[in-house]
Amino acid sequence: MTLTPAPSAIGTGAAANPLHDARTQLADAVALLGYSDGMYSMLATPRRELTVSVPLRRDDGLVELLIGHRVQHNMSRGPTKGGLRFSPDVTLDEVRALAMWMSWKCALVDIPYGGAKGGVRFDPRSYSRGEIQRVTRRYTSEIMPILGPATDIPAPDIGTDDQVMAWMMDTYSVNSGHTALGVVTGKPLALGGSKGRAIATSAGVVHVALAALDHLDLKRERTTAAVQGFGKVGRDAAVLLSRAGVRVVAVSDRDGAVHNSAGLDIEALARHAEASGAVAGFAGADDYEHRDDLLFEEVDLLVPAAVEGVLNKENAHRVRARLVVEGANGPTTPEADELLENTGCLVVPDILANAGGVVVSYFEWVQANQAYWWSEREVEARLRERMQSAWEQVVETARTRRISMRRAATLMAVEAVASAHVARGLYP
Ligand code: GLU
């Protein structure tokens, strides 16, 4: 098992704040829907947030204090759901934004969850497995009061993996006196993980990317793609795109980027990255001088699959792709969205494009609740059906309302969350 490295923030600039971007998108949807300022404020503000100290005894015996957060954005539609991120770039505002995007994502693909996100600010690449285990267990204990299979269900995100989920599940279970398989998703198969979960986000990205290519009348055999990020989303997205016949000509990770206009052998690149820890230096490609040049490559499809804010007002005018499919959460700022829309680039938003991960997390939770396991084929078929249906609905809303796919998706999701809130009524 390997931990996915946390990509550092790329080109976001010191002033970048994903929460500002998430609220701008929300304000836009609220205006289109004609909702009140009160509704905006309620949806712009997390329902519950917990910041915890995570004291860690390092392997050398010294104690270091880390800071962790868990933010539950909205629980009108069900228990909250969302990943846990281990990264030096974690901030409370970032976690708030990611939690809000989870609420919209779950609503858009119609799974019965609200949104949440967690983070611990540290770089797991500089810590031993034992230290990471101690961080995970202490963080889990600290947030126990707001965790649970019917309360809030974490999953992997940047810097965390199935092993981290196993430790979380074990810590929660030992402390509650019974084994609770449904408290986290993205677990190892041996512990009730779902078949197909590991590649679910990437598989969803590729379903949507292929649907978008068809929508634009681009033949996949004649299409080129660049993928930013070679972690748990980008790597398998690149593999699946190339298996589908798309020529993936450029790939980057947090340390560098490579290109080959004849098409990269992605499976060989994955082996090289696994062995050397980076994509740079791959024999079957040339290294880019600057990692982020990949974003401006002349390709049909660009898949940003790293972190927030990589396409922003400083650089979006340089994007030459015809289609952007967001594998990451929040990779395009609202200013960049506008620039891309003006140049005719179709942006398929994160809450649609990368929803495959949480969809299969939902399947994993349903299987844990039923104590009945589905076949890989069943998981794949149900994922495909969900992604296809969400894609069609967003395309239809964008067409009838003459708005971008981002606006259409956000509007549909916000409407679903607001309707649940209104149906429940305001207590007291
Ligand atoms: N971290 C993933 C996301 O951002 C998955 C969340 C989940 O499965 O709960 O969508």
Side-chain angles (χ1 to χ4, degrees), residues 111-124:
I111 55 180
Y113 295 133
K117 205 78 172 198
V120 182
R121 187 164 47 244
F122 80 116
D123 186 349

Side-chain angles (χ1 to χ4, degrees), residues 77 101-115 351 358 386 393 409-410 412-418:
R77 299 181 62 258
W101 285 322
M102 284 309 301
S103 292
W104 310 150
K105 198 186 297 187
C106 294
L108 185 67
V109 291
D110 196 21
I111 55 180
Y113 295 133
I351 59 171
V358 75
R386 290 262 173 180
Q393 288 175 43
T410 312
M412 289 165 63
V414 169
E415 192 171 28
V417 174

Side-chain angles (χ1 to χ4, degrees), residues 6-10 12 85 89 94 158 228 304-311 328-332:
S8 62
I10 303 159
T12 49
R85 183 173 285 201
D89 300 322
E94 180 191 49
I158 291 171
Q228 182 200 35
V307 289
E308 308 89 66
V310 297
L311 299 175
N329 293 311
T332 312

Side-chain angles (χ1 to χ4, degrees), residues 54-64 128 130-131 134-135:
V54 185
L56 164 69
R57 189 179 313 283
R58 302 248 8 208
D59 291 341
D60 62 9
L62 295 177
V63 172
E64 185 177 324
S128 70
E131 290 169 335
R134 294 198 286 282
V135 171

Side-chain angles (χ1 to χ4, degrees), residues 210-222:
L210 297 178
L213 291 176
D214 288 348
H215 181 76
L216 294 174
D217 259 334
L218 295 170
K219 294 271 160 284
R220 59 178 85 159
E221 298 73 26
R222 271 185 268 136

Side-chain angles (χ1 to χ4, degrees), residues 129-167:
R129 293 303 287 164
E131 290 169 335
I132 293 170
Q133 176 170 179
R134 294 198 286 282
V135 171
T136 304
R137 290 190 182 276
R138 182 60 186 255
Y139 169 78
T140 306
S141 301
E142 294 293 338
I143 65 162
M144 271 279 294
I146 61 165
L147 213 57
T151 311
D152 183 13
I153 307 124
D157 197 84
I158 291 171
T160 58
D161 60 11
D162 58 344
Q163 178 61 73
V164 169
M165 293 305 115
W167 292 327

